[in-house]
Amino acid sequence: MPYCSPFGAFIHHVTHFSMDLTNRDSFGSKFGVIAAAAGSAIGLGNIWRFPYVLGANGGGAFLLIYLIFVVVIGIPVMMSEFVIGRSAQRNPYGAFRILAPGRPWYLVGIMGVAAAFMILAFYAAVAGWTMEYLYQSVVNGFSGKSAEEMSTMFDTFRSGSARPVIWFLVFMVMTSCIVMAGIQKGIEKYTKVLMPVLLLLLIALSIRSLTLPGAGEGLVFLFKPDFSKITGKVVLEALGQAFFSLSIGMGTLITYGSYIQKKERLGNTAVSVSLTDTFIAVLAGVAIFPAVFAFSIDPASGEDLVFKTLPVIFQQMPGGYFFSLIFFLLLAVAALTSTISVLEVVVANFTEEFQFGRRKATVLAALAISVLGIFASGSWSWFKELDIFGFSVFELLDHTSANYMLPLGGFFIVVFVGWFMGKPKVSGELSSNGMFPVRYYPLFLFIVRFIAPIAIALVFLNSLGLF
Ligand code: PHE
């Protein structure tokens, strides 16, 4: 791996797992499982996407619907993914082929691979923006800039021809190196330490943001539901954001579920991961919206919201230079623990289905995704004119994957667990073969059979304006 060498020491240090299907690894401890799954779940989805989608969809009412979806649909889908993965001991595509031989369920796995392609292409582009902002933090590039200048700075960067694409490619190389070495689970060690630090920084940011003059308006926007704002689109985007943020619906957590030891409780793990992820998203909202209103930024401005708001807050903090430096560093790490979980979905499929070696699978996947990603990150420069049904490439990838593909995948995952997998297998998996009581089982079954699939279907129909 010659081009991975700057990263080599880091990789070597954390390498002690191999990704061999015949000799599967498992996460070392309860906290390790949560750390790895939370590493996948917590990322730009919480800190970048959640505030921007909430801002564009009217605030408090969106939050309320989002929270309901996390509990009623998100947690059951996550448990179902764990159940499928741990029971089959395979990647998503292989899991469906083992659990439902000769049936078309493996198509859900294929859709997951397609979603992984699309998500990684735009996600790594945004991760590239955080790299630029990490760089700007190092060189003190935000110093003395007003909210307006900060906004121009971001627009100039993003519409520039080379920089966004170069940072995107840098991020793809970092992700590929880790996945190629097969050490994504070694990362759990870093996640365990770094994610709590990210949490502390978010708390510090929130405090600064909440004490800005005019902060109250931001809290009202975030927490006070205005029910007149609810439309089919708002509900659909809340569902999409819940799936995206929890890393569910495309098989990432089927893959991770296959590494969970038999003695772990899947239900508790899913609940802990989901609640942690949701807490961090809400905290990001508390850090961002008071500042958005205090600095008169448009909450509905879109994917640039966080990048235009955060540096302004840092400017107003004592020690802002260091806060900003550490924050963007940790945000990049949080993004990395998510991108590796996305790329792994593709690589696991390539290695199993086409018998490619891990290296070849990773290089091919990363190259193909990079082509798509160049279009995504060039959506404000080279490919500005490219218009697909009124969307830029970036928007198309973002909206289609999160709002349609993940919920559709989730629909089939719960239907599979609820109706096709068989009760003994499902309850055996949830109870670790009778080791733990699963008093919630009847409720779980009711949700995966009826509530979750019907709710997803209704959201789709509603967004199409069908009722
Ligand atoms: N959940 C991740 C985040 O919030 C993104 C992600 C989506 C990861 C889908 C894996 C699968 O940043």
Side-chain angles (χ1 to χ4, degrees), residues 40-46 119 123 244-247 250 252 338 341-342:
S40 168
I42 299 168
L44 298 170
N46 308 60
I119 289 178
Y123 194 95
F244 187 86
S245 191
L246 296 173
S247 297
M250 58 176 245
T252 308
S338 299
S341 77
V342 182

